[in-house]
Amino acid sequence: MNSSDFQKQIVNHAKQNPEEEVCGFIVLCEDLSVRVVPAINENPNKSECFSISPQKFISTKLNNKILAIYHSHPKGNCFPSDRDRNASKEMGIPYLIYGLKNDSTFLYYPESYEPDELIGRPYITGIYECTSLFKDYFIKNLNLNITEWNENYWLPQKDHEANRLLMNILSSRANKVTLNQLQEHDIIVFQPKRDKRFHVGIYTGNDYFIHQPMHNLSSKQILDDRWQSKIKHVYRHPSLV
């Protein structure tokens, strides 16, 4: 399955059962592809809540890498309820929510989420993106949880909207520095092509940075002249100034 096709499958699942909250898992297979594993909603009040049996959860977790739990909101928007937030926080697993009423998607990351290894991830829309790597880098390497910097990690589809969101977050949460001040852990914003979506990497020192390309595995690369020519902004976490 393509890195973004899983969302279409979840939407179809929700539309086939518009009167109840459908649910299931988004998992990563051994070949690094993404798969949707539907589950039965066992909650007595299916139109308002969802419940997945412990047996289904355990069997899925034993045989797969669970990237997120998904469910639909048939009556309201895609924003997570207090119940959603609490359950996601308790399990440390992201929740992907699809709202039928406004045809929208919300990807909620709890602060209890423990990131995977940073290198060797496949690109997966919303889940393993360059902004996800940037968030996870600070948690794993600096014990700085910046999850709350953004609310919905299902980013806008339009490039200019995604760029505006990124710049609003960085300009309000981090400190802008010049390229000649570049130091370890700085956030590098690249503009690969004019009027296209920005790309984010983290400088790791000694002329290297890590990032999540769209068509390759996340990796550590040298910040050579080609990449330096694409740098638009550099930001630094306020605690590192």
Side-chain angles (χ1 to χ4, degrees):
M1 184 183 297
N2 185 278
S3 67
S4 61
D5 285 349
F6 69 89
Q7 194 255 1
K8 297 175 184 177
Q9 192 169 334
I10 291 169
V11 170
N12 290 336
H13 188 190
K15 289 182 176 179
Q16 289 169 5
N17 301 272
E19 302 303 320
E20 67 176 69
E21 291 196 3
V22 303
C23 55
F25 304 91
I26 303 165
V27 304
L28 184 66
C29 303
E30 288 187 5
D31 63 358
L32 300 184
S33 62
V34 188
R35 186 163 63 95
V36 171
V37 180
I40 296 172
N41 181 354
E42 300 193 355
N43 196 288
N45 186 12
K46 291 180 173 56
S47 64
E48 301 286 346
C49 305
F50 82 97
S51 300
I52 298 174
S53 73
Q55 293 83 359
K56 179 66 173 178
F57 176 81
I58 292 171
S59 65
T60 303
K61 189 173 183 179
L62 286 174
N63 296 297
N64 306 273
K65 164 65 181 174
I66 298 177
L67 298 173
I69 291 174
Y70 77 85
H71 71 282
S72 63
H73 283 177
K75 296 181 179 180
N77 57 38
C78 62
F79 295 105
S81 64
D82 289 342
R83 184 177 185 273
D84 292 334
R85 292 175 187 272
N86 291 335
S88 176
K89 180 179 179 180
E90 183 178 346
M91 291 186 289
I93 298 176
Y95 265 31
L96 188 141
I97 305 163
Y98 174 69
L100 274 81
K101 290 295 184 182
N102 56 358
D103 186 31
S104 58
T105 301
F106 197 109
L107 179 58
Y108 174 75
Y109 270 88
E111 290 192 12
S112 58
Y113 171 74
E114 295 185 6
D116 304 315
E117 291 301 317
L118 301 177
I119 304 299
R121 299 178 177 185
Y123 175 85
I124 300 173
T125 302
I127 297 171
Y128 288 155
E129 297 206 32
C130 64
T131 47
S132 309
L133 189 74
F134 143 47
K135 166 181 67 69
D136 293 350
Y137 176 92
F138 280 98
I139 296 173
K140 287 188 74 70
N141 292 327
L142 298 170
N143 198 30
L144 293 171
N145 197 326
I146 63 170
T147 303
E148 64 173 11
W149 282 18
N150 188 29
E151 187 177 21
N152 183 2
Y153 281 86
W154 191 262
L155 303 180
Q157 290 186 342
K158 295 181 179 178
D159 290 346
H160 73 278
E161 293 180 1
N163 291 345
R164 184 168 62 245
L165 173 63
L166 175 64
M167 298 316 300
N168 285 343
I169 291 170
L170 290 176
S171 61
S172 62
R173 299 283 192 166
N175 296 318
K176 191 173 183 180
V177 297
T178 61
L179 180 58
N180 60 12
Q181 296 174 309
L182 188 66
Q183 68 180 35
E184 187 179 8
H185 312 311
D186 280 350
I187 306 156
I188 306 173
V189 180
F190 299 98
Q191 187 172 28
K193 293 183 180 179
R194 184 178 176 85
D195 298 324
K196 296 297 183 180
R197 185 171 297 232
F198 295 159
H199 182 62
V200 177
I202 301 292
Y203 186 64
T204 59
N206 300 316
D207 295 325
Y208 279 89
F209 72 105
I210 65 169
H211 69 136
Q212 175 69 70
M214 283 192 68
H215 304 294
N216 213 328
L217 302 180
S218 58
S219 61
K220 186 175 183 179
Q221 286 190 245
I222 191 167
L223 190 64
D224 56 19
D225 291 342
R226 181 178 68 91
W227 279 105
Q228 288 189 38
S229 68
K230 301 176 188 296
I231 295 177
K232 186 174 181 64
H233 302 292
V234 178
Y235 286 89
R236 186 170 298 155
H237 192 283
S239 70
L240 302 176
V241 174

